[in-house]
Amino acid sequence: MTSYPMKIAKLAGKGLGVLATRALRPGQLILREHPLARVDKSPGSPESRANPTCRKLMGRVTDMAKTGRFDPRSDFGEWPREVVSCFEGILDEQSNAAFERLDEEGRRKWMELCDVHAEDETRKTPGGILRTNAIDDATNHANLYATLSRMNHSCAPNAVRMSADEVG
């Protein structure tokens, strides 16, 4: 088993996070990990089109766009709350489907991650966890990792995530 220069530890007031266990060199590999799950965020994906709840939510968004109450070309920050809720609902449905495809160990690892959308630990959902922790890739997929998802997210990162292939 590869020994990586980091560990998962309790962080005061923040839950579990990743800490370096020794000084890191520029270009050094910190972690190599495949995602627990990869969720296609496109509301037009085959999975979304096959899901009756997703079709209903997307129909609501389409109706709002047709009646001029929503411009899909506008900035996300300008979208009506109802549209955002519809897209969150679609992502929740996609998350539930991905979660159900995992084995018991994968589901356990998923549910160990933080859900900032839940009122408390007992109300965590696969969708809330995915929306809290997933890392998007260039193909509009949300990738959920057991360890990488615990690393601090930053607008000015001092580490770079690289994907070696199309699986996250």
Side-chain angles (χ1 to χ4, degrees):
M1 178 173 179
T2 304
S3 175
Y4 295 111
M6 54 95 198
K7 66 179 180 179
I8 296 175
K10 283 194 172 214
L11 303 176
K14 299 187 181 212
L16 296 175
V18 177
L19 299 174
T21 56
R22 58 186 180 262
L24 301 174
R25 298 179 316 277
Q28 179 179 357
L29 177 68
I30 299 171
L31 172 70
R32 177 174 291 142
E33 180 179 29
H34 289 280
L36 289 172
R38 209 165 167 261
V39 176
D40 187 345
K41 294 180 10 176
S42 170
S45 70
E47 290 110 358
S48 291
R49 288 194 312 266
N51 181 306
T53 301
C54 291
R55 283 197 313 268
K56 180 180 176 183
L57 291 167
M58 201 58 220
R60 181 74 187 124
V61 170
T62 302
D63 289 345
M64 290 180 72
K66 284 180 181 176
T67 59
R69 295 184 315 180
F70 163 61
D71 181 357
R73 296 168 299 202
S74 64
D75 290 334
F76 176 78
E78 298 173 11
W79 288 7
R81 181 66 198 136
E82 184 178 355
V83 170
V84 172
S85 292
C86 286
F87 280 112
E88 287 173 348
I90 292 167
L91 190 54
D92 286 347
E93 287 289 319
Q94 293 166 317
S95 299
N96 290 338
F99 181 80
E100 290 302 320
R101 287 191 295 268
L102 292 175
D103 62 18
E104 186 176 326
E105 177 71 4
R107 290 179 189 171
R108 183 188 61 74
K109 288 179 179 180
W110 186 316
M111 294 307 293
E112 287 177 348
L113 294 168
C114 179
D115 181 351
V116 300
H117 306 282
E119 293 176 22
D120 60 52
E121 282 289 309
T122 65
R123 297 180 186 209
K124 292 176 14 173
T125 65
I129 292 169
L130 184 93
R131 287 188 278 129
T132 301
N133 298 284
I135 300 170
D136 292 348
D137 64 24
T139 63
N140 202 33
H141 286 79
N143 298 280
L144 189 67
Y145 299 86
T147 301
L148 182 61
S149 292
R150 294 186 185 283
M151 290 189 179
N152 191 26
H153 302 263
S154 172
C155 294
N158 59 3
V160 177
R161 176 187 168 270
M162 295 176 61
S163 180
D165 55 29
E166 67 278 350
V167 294

